[in-house]
Amino acid sequence: MKIKRQKQAKKTLSFYKHNFGFREPFQLLIDGTFCQAALKNKIQIKEQMPKYFMGDVQLCSTNCALKELDSLSKDLYGAKVILQRFQMRRCKHSKEPVSASECLLSLVGETNPHHYFVATQDRKLATGLMKIPGVPLLYIVQNTMVLEKPSECSLKHVEAVQLGELVSSTEQQRLQNLKSEQGLSKDGEERQGKKRKRKSGNPNPLSCLKKKKKPMAQPPKRADGEKKKRSRHRNRKPAGLTVGVNANSSSTQS
């Protein structure tokens, strides 16, 4: 039975990886009900989660979930101690805390852009999350953790994407990034509109300076008493002319 559960968990993980872009480290949102169930069934969340997910896991929660345990009975003190060890994600209810279920729903949003897994024993919260595509649910049943199969909403969403009726969240994010890089999005238009015009000021004073004339190269100085050497150029006569002169001189001698 244990091998069958592991195969089912692996299959569910691969579904969310390929269709919704889930990657390691997996982010797991945990509420107080899950911590209480883990404490009751002697499940070590921090040690067993990486083994169950077969990869790195980030355990996190919110301040609203922590404050909800404070307001409840003292029997949940152990669950509060466990929840305090996890990372706290920022929510919009810092001034006015809300219930853990409402806080986690707002953190997941309509498309679960941060790819959260949600671990809870609250069936009302689980029902609300199953109406959002791409939200994996984790709960505890009989001393074991169970990763819920993809909801009907997630299956329909994947089918619509494959038929070309919808664009997946990962593709939407890529398109948004491309638009922002090319300045086609609204943010890019606002940035372009906020560009300051350069004021026409005075010219650069350094560019107005006159160019310095380079000094002429002076001939090397002669030492005292050194005479100027005359350059002798020997005028060479053409070969024909010398032959003629020699012939004339020989004729006169005869």
Side-chain angles (χ1 to χ4, degrees):
M1 193 69 182
K2 187 177 180 181
I3 297 172
K4 188 177 179 180
R5 282 197 301 267
Q6 287 180 347
K7 286 183 178 180
Q8 183 60 45
K10 191 174 181 180
K11 185 178 178 181
T12 305
L13 277 173
S14 62
F15 172 83
Y16 286 107
K17 282 181 181 179
H18 292 104
N19 296 298
F20 293 96
F22 280 70
R23 294 289 180 271
E24 293 185 34
F26 300 118
Q27 298 190 84
L28 189 63
L29 274 177
I30 303 173
D31 68 350
T33 60
F34 188 86
C35 292
Q36 181 65 16
L39 184 64
K40 184 179 178 180
N41 293 283
K42 299 180 181 180
I43 294 175
Q44 301 293 329
I45 297 175
K46 201 168 185 178
E47 287 75 15
Q48 292 182 234
M49 281 295 181
K51 296 177 182 178
Y52 186 81
F53 282 90
M54 294 165 284
D56 294 333
V57 176
Q58 286 184 355
L59 306 176
C60 50
S61 186
T62 63
N63 286 321
C64 292
L66 197 61
K67 289 179 180 179
E68 185 182 59
L69 291 176
D70 280 334
S71 62
L72 298 175
S73 63
K74 295 181 180 180
D75 296 337
L76 300 175
Y77 178 76
K80 176 189 171 184
V81 172
I82 295 172
L83 199 65
Q84 283 177 338
R85 299 173 183 174
F86 305 148
Q87 300 177 13
M88 291 293 145
R89 293 288 183 262
R90 290 183 180 179
C91 61
K92 301 177 182 179
H93 320 109
S94 57
K95 294 182 180 179
E96 295 181 1
V98 295
S99 63
S101 58
E102 186 178 348
C103 183
L104 295 186
L105 277 171
S106 67
L107 203 61
V108 169
E110 296 180 357
T111 57
N112 194 15
H114 299 290
H115 305 107
Y116 286 122
F117 289 79
V118 180
T120 181
Q121 300 295 111
D122 188 350
R123 298 312 301 172
K124 186 178 179 181
L125 173 60
T127 304
L129 291 171
M130 289 174 73
K131 297 177 183 178
I132 303 171
V135 183
L137 293 174
L138 189 73
Y139 52 88
I140 296 172
V141 177
Q142 295 180 356
N143 303 333
T144 57
M145 293 184 294
V146 178
L147 184 61
E148 181 73 19
K149 294 180 181 180
S151 63
E152 192 68 25
C153 182
S154 297
L155 293 173
K156 287 182 179 179
H157 180 85
V158 172
E159 186 180 355
V161 169
Q162 290 174 353
L163 294 173
E165 298 174 1
L166 290 174
V167 181
S168 63
S169 59
T170 53
E171 291 295 329
Q172 288 178 357
Q173 189 64 33
R174 288 176 187 172
L175 290 172
Q176 190 66 28
N177 293 336
L178 287 173
K179 285 181 180 181
S180 61
E181 288 175 2
Q182 297 178 3
L184 299 176
S185 62
K186 293 182 180 180
D187 295 338
E189 291 177 0
E190 290 177 359
R191 289 175 185 174
Q192 288 180 357
K194 290 181 180 179
K195 285 185 178 178
R196 296 181 180 179
K197 295 181 180 180
R198 295 186 66 182
K199 296 181 181 180
S200 59
N202 296 325
N204 190 356
L206 296 176
S207 63
C208 300
L209 295 176
K210 293 182 179 180
K211 294 183 179 179
K212 295 181 180 180
K213 294 182 178 180
K214 295 182 179 180
M216 298 294 290
Q218 297 180 356
K221 295 181 179 181
R222 293 192 299 271
D224 296 339
E226 184 182 355
K227 295 182 179 180
K228 183 180 180 182
K229 292 182 180 180
R230 293 178 62 187
S231 60
R232 295 183 179 182
H233 297 284
R234 186 176 182 181
N235 296 326
R236 294 183 179 182
K237 297 179 180 181
L241 184 61
T242 56
V243 173
V245 172
N246 292 334
N248 293 332
S249 61
S250 61
S251 64
T252 52
Q253 289 176 0
S254 61

